[in-house]
Amino acid sequence: MAEVDARADRRSEGIVINDDWPGYSLDLFSYPAHYSGDLDCVIVPHGVIMDRTERLARNIMDDLGDHDIVVLCVLKGGYQFCADLVERIKALSRNSNHTIPMRVHFIRLRSYLNDQSTEDLHILGAEDLSFLAGKNVLIVEGIVGTGKTMETLLEHVKAFKPKMIKVAGLLVKRVQHSLASVPDYVGFEIPNRFVVGYALDYNEYFRDLNHICIISESGKKKYKV
């Protein structure tokens, strides 16, 4: 990635994609034909996501190896990242002296209408998380924007008195007025643009896209509700 600043020595920041990064031409990749005209560019190709996810799995193994953990997968946008991350942790556990026994629980957050985050946050499946008491928790999220949603979720989870909470976020947006809280494990820090693909959606579309792409203005209009 020509315009990427990889600050690999500061793991919590992830791979930094600069604001002036134009992305990759869609012509370089395969993607569903039904999204023709709906995308501007590929910002993170699928193969790069996979490689970065493997590195995050290694970091988590280094930090949490031999701890029992409960993985709290944030649906729907985090399901693909969570599935791939868990698979890579399991693969590392099979070939290591360290191991991480894992349970996976799913919750769903919803705060977006079209491309705008709203104050109306719904947490589904998190009404009773009493089984987290005394447990090591790894929250896995697809994307973190202002951090308000994550802060609300963290406060909710803390109320059930887990032993430890770590957060893995595939994407973190650079946005104004963002909260100081940053995931412990970050895949990519990206510009403040609306991205779709790899289970991230726009009104439930684009989840079937393997790459992470920037949606076009015509795409927003086409799928607006």
Side-chain angles (χ1 to χ4, degrees):
M1 287 183 169
E3 299 294 329
V4 172
D5 176 15
R7 299 199 285 263
D9 58 323
R10 302 177 67 179
R11 297 189 322 183
S12 65
E13 293 184 355
I15 296 175
V16 180
I17 300 177
N18 295 329
D19 288 341
D20 57 356
W21 166 238
Y24 293 103
S25 169
L26 293 165
D27 294 335
L28 298 174
F29 299 92
S30 297
Y31 64 96
H34 52 264
Y35 291 138
S36 178
D38 301 333
L39 305 167
D40 277 342
C41 65
V42 175
I43 190 169
V44 189
H46 184 257
V48 178
I49 299 171
M50 294 297 95
D51 285 351
R52 181 62 183 149
T53 300
E54 182 174 352
R55 178 68 261 184
L56 293 179
R58 291 180 180 274
N59 292 347
I60 292 168
M61 278 291 293
D62 289 343
D63 295 344
L64 304 179
D66 296 327
H67 287 77
D68 287 20
I69 63 172
V70 177
V71 177
L72 206 57
C73 176
V74 180
L75 299 174
K76 297 181 182 176
Y79 82 80
Q80 192 62 64
F81 174 48
C82 184
D84 290 333
L85 182 64
V86 167
E87 280 303 309
R88 275 149 184 78
I89 293 173
K90 286 163 59 178
L92 291 171
S93 294
R94 287 194 296 267
N95 298 285
S96 171
N97 292 328
H98 294 289
T99 186
I100 300 182
M102 290 181 293
R103 293 172 55 192
V104 181
H105 184 79
F106 300 92
I107 62 171
R108 184 179 177 186
L109 305 182
R110 185 173 179 84
S111 63
Y112 268 84
L113 179 63
N114 296 317
D115 63 345
Q116 298 298 316
S117 179
T118 70
E119 296 296 326
D120 190 15
L121 175 65
H122 298 279
I123 305 178
L124 305 176
E127 294 83 2
D128 183 10
L129 298 178
S130 56
F131 62 90
L132 296 180
K135 299 293 195 305
N136 301 303
V137 179
L138 176 67
I139 298 174
V140 180
E141 172 66 287
I143 187 166
V144 177
T146 63
K148 292 179 181 178
T149 299
M150 182 55 65
E151 283 290 308
T152 300
L153 177 59
L154 283 171
E155 289 304 313
H156 186 78
V157 171
K158 287 176 183 176
F160 295 96
K161 302 187 184 306
K163 180 179 179 182
M164 175 182 66
I165 304 175
K166 296 286 187 179
V167 179
L170 177 63
L171 304 176
V172 172
K173 279 188 182 181
R174 286 189 300 277
V175 296
Q176 290 184 337
H177 311 302
S178 63
L179 300 178
S181 179
V182 176
D184 303 280
Y185 308 99
V186 176
F188 305 88
E189 181 187 303
I190 65 172
N192 186 18
R193 301 185 67 183
F194 199 90
V195 294
V196 293
Y198 194 65
L200 300 172
D201 77 307
Y202 178 81
N203 293 330
E204 296 300 328
Y205 292 92
F206 302 101
R207 295 195 195 277
D208 55 339
L209 182 63
N210 284 336
H211 314 294
I212 295 174
C213 300
I214 294 176
I215 189 174
S216 66
E217 290 303 315
S218 61
K220 290 180 183 179
K221 292 177 182 177
K222 180 177 178 180
Y223 299 109
K224 186 176 181 180
V225 296

